[in-house]
Amino acid sequence: MCGRYASTLPPEQMAELFKLLNQLEMVPRYNIAPTQPVVAIWEEAARREAHFARWGLVPRWVKDPREFPLLVNARVETMAEKPAFRDALKHGRCIIPASGYYEWHTGPDKKKQPYYITHADGRPMALAGLYATWVGPEGEEIDSIATITVPANQQLSEVHDRMPAILEGDAIEQWLDVRSVSARHANQLALPLEDGALKFHPVSTRVNSARDDDPGLVEPVALEKPEPPQPRKKVAGGGAQMDLF
């Protein structure tokens, strides 16, 4: 899954890169977590604009968002059939600009080591996502999003078995074009990137806390080396057979 990411692209560069008709005032973020407001891009009435939205999809048909489970990710294998996602796949596709994302690798000792993952050439990412606008009984509105995950490519499987769907080039245009591009075709755009397209390095476990949000979180750290095995002590008076145990 994708549960944390960074987004540091300046508003004017974001507008130019993604052909936006607006700019949002925002500060660089290095540890964006679920339930927080994020920047998402979608097209509505032929206008492509950036919006602030809650990370955690709330479908239109939900009665009370406070009683609805947190939907952070949508799996590409099932999103076309899941009631929570299928309408958004047809009418509410979006992209989420990111500088990189975090994933946790569980080692043999069950400890989880976070890694920061970026494009190999350092350029910004366009994460494939779904959005919905929930309207409450008093007319209040909540825009919300979920990121889409796909099976990890061989390179990223060293860290985790899933990765976000990252769109490039014409795939971005087709994904956002909900008027002309069907949900079935859009579903086929969400694919793992090829091996070598991304790079990753271990980072501080400070990223585990959403309260920490600073440039140091994306800096590489050295992994602790496991202690070398200690030689076995022979039992005094033991024979060769005892030394085997």
Side-chain angles (χ1 to χ4, degrees), residues 79-80 85-93 130 175 178 183 186-187:
M79 64 182 179
F85 302 125
R86 62 190 178 197
D87 185 62
L89 182 61
K90 295 176 183 177
H91 310 294
R93 301 193 296 267
L130 303 173
W175 182 261
V178 295
N187 204 113

Side-chain angles (χ1 to χ4, degrees), residues 124-169:
M125 295 176 169
L127 308 182
L130 303 173
Y131 82 91
T133 300
W134 179 85
V135 180
E138 304 300 324
E140 65 273 31
E141 294 186 359
I142 299 176
D143 289 330
S144 60
I145 64 102
T147 53
I148 294 171
T149 67
V150 296
N153 60 27
Q154 185 173 356
Q155 177 194 19
L156 267 295
S157 65
E158 299 176 22
V159 178
H160 199 271
D161 62 351
R162 306 288 296 181
M163 64 185 293
I166 302 170
L167 302 175
E168 298 183 307

Side-chain angles (χ1 to χ4, degrees), residues 56-91:
L57 190 78
V58 181
R60 303 172 190 271
W61 43 262
V62 169
K63 292 184 178 180
D64 187 349
R66 294 170 298 182
E67 299 179 357
F68 192 72
L70 187 63
L71 301 179
V72 176
N73 300 134
R75 296 174 68 94
V76 70
E77 299 93 334
T78 58
M79 64 182 179
E81 290 79 35
K82 294 285 186 179
F85 302 125
R86 62 190 178 197
D87 185 62
L89 182 61
K90 295 176 183 177
H91 310 294

Side-chain angles (χ1 to χ4, degrees), residues 78 97 106 115 129-131 154 165 172 182 198 212 218 225 227 229:
T78 58
T106 303
Y115 284 79
L130 303 173
Y131 82 91
Q154 185 173 356
I172 296 175
S182 68
L198 303 174
D212 288 329
V218 302
K225 295 183 179 180
E227 291 292 329

Side-chain angles (χ1 to χ4, degrees), residues 6-238:
S7 184
T8 62
L9 192 64
E12 60 276 8
Q13 293 185 20
M14 184 181 298
E16 180 180 1
L17 179 62
F18 296 113
K19 306 172 186 177
L20 304 180
L21 295 177
N22 71 327
Q23 294 184 26
L24 295 180
E25 292 299 322
M26 51 198 174
V27 298
R29 296 289 311 281
Y30 297 90
N31 193 11
I32 300 172
T35 74
Q36 294 180 351
V38 304
V39 175
I41 295 168
W42 62 76
E43 291 185 359
E44 200 167 26
R47 294 180 59 87
R48 181 181 300 184
E49 296 181 337
H51 306 260
F52 286 117
R54 172 186 181 266
W55 189 9
L57 190 78
V58 181
R60 303 172 190 271
W61 43 262
V62 169
K63 292 184 178 180
D64 187 349
R66 294 170 298 182
E67 299 179 357
F68 192 72
L70 187 63
L71 301 179
V72 176
N73 300 134
R75 296 174 68 94
V76 70
E77 299 93 334
T78 58
M79 64 182 179
E81 290 79 35
K82 294 285 186 179
F85 302 125
R86 62 190 178 197
D87 185 62
L89 182 61
K90 295 176 183 177
H91 310 294
R93 301 193 296 267
C94 67
I95 59 172
I96 300 96
S99 304
Y101 72 96
Y102 299 96
E103 195 55 86
W104 280 256
H105 173 69
T106 303
D109 57 359
K110 304 303 180 183
K111 290 184 179 179
K112 293 187 176 182
Q113 171 61 49
Y115 284 79
Y116 185 57
I117 304 165
T118 65
H119 268 304
D121 58 8
R123 57 196 166 90
M125 295 176 169
L127 308 182
L130 303 173
Y131 82 91
T133 300
W134 179 85
V135 180
E138 304 300 324
E140 65 273 31
E141 294 186 359
I142 299 176
D143 289 330
S144 60
I145 64 102
T147 53
I148 294 171
T149 67
V150 296
N153 60 27
Q154 185 173 356
Q155 177 194 19
L156 267 295
S157 65
E158 299 176 22
V159 178
H160 199 271
D161 62 351
R162 306 288 296 181
M163 64 185 293
I166 302 170
L167 302 175
E168 298 183 307
D170 189 55
I172 296 175
E173 305 300 317
Q174 294 185 61
W175 182 261
L176 293 177
D177 186 2
V178 295
R179 295 180 301 168
S180 304
V181 178
S182 68
R184 183 174 182 179
H185 179 74
N187 204 113
Q188 298 171 356
L189 299 172
L191 300 169
L193 290 184
E194 66 276 9
D195 290 340
L198 303 174
K199 62 181 179 180
F200 57 87
H201 58 257
V203 294
S204 169
T205 54
R206 288 197 302 117
V207 75
N208 295 345
S209 172
R211 294 189 299 271
D212 288 329
D213 191 348
D214 60 78
L217 294 177
V218 302
E219 296 297 322
V221 299
L223 295 180
E224 294 183 5
K225 295 183 179 180
E227 291 292 329
Q230 298 297 316
R232 304 185 69 87
K233 294 183 179 180
K234 293 185 179 182
V235 179

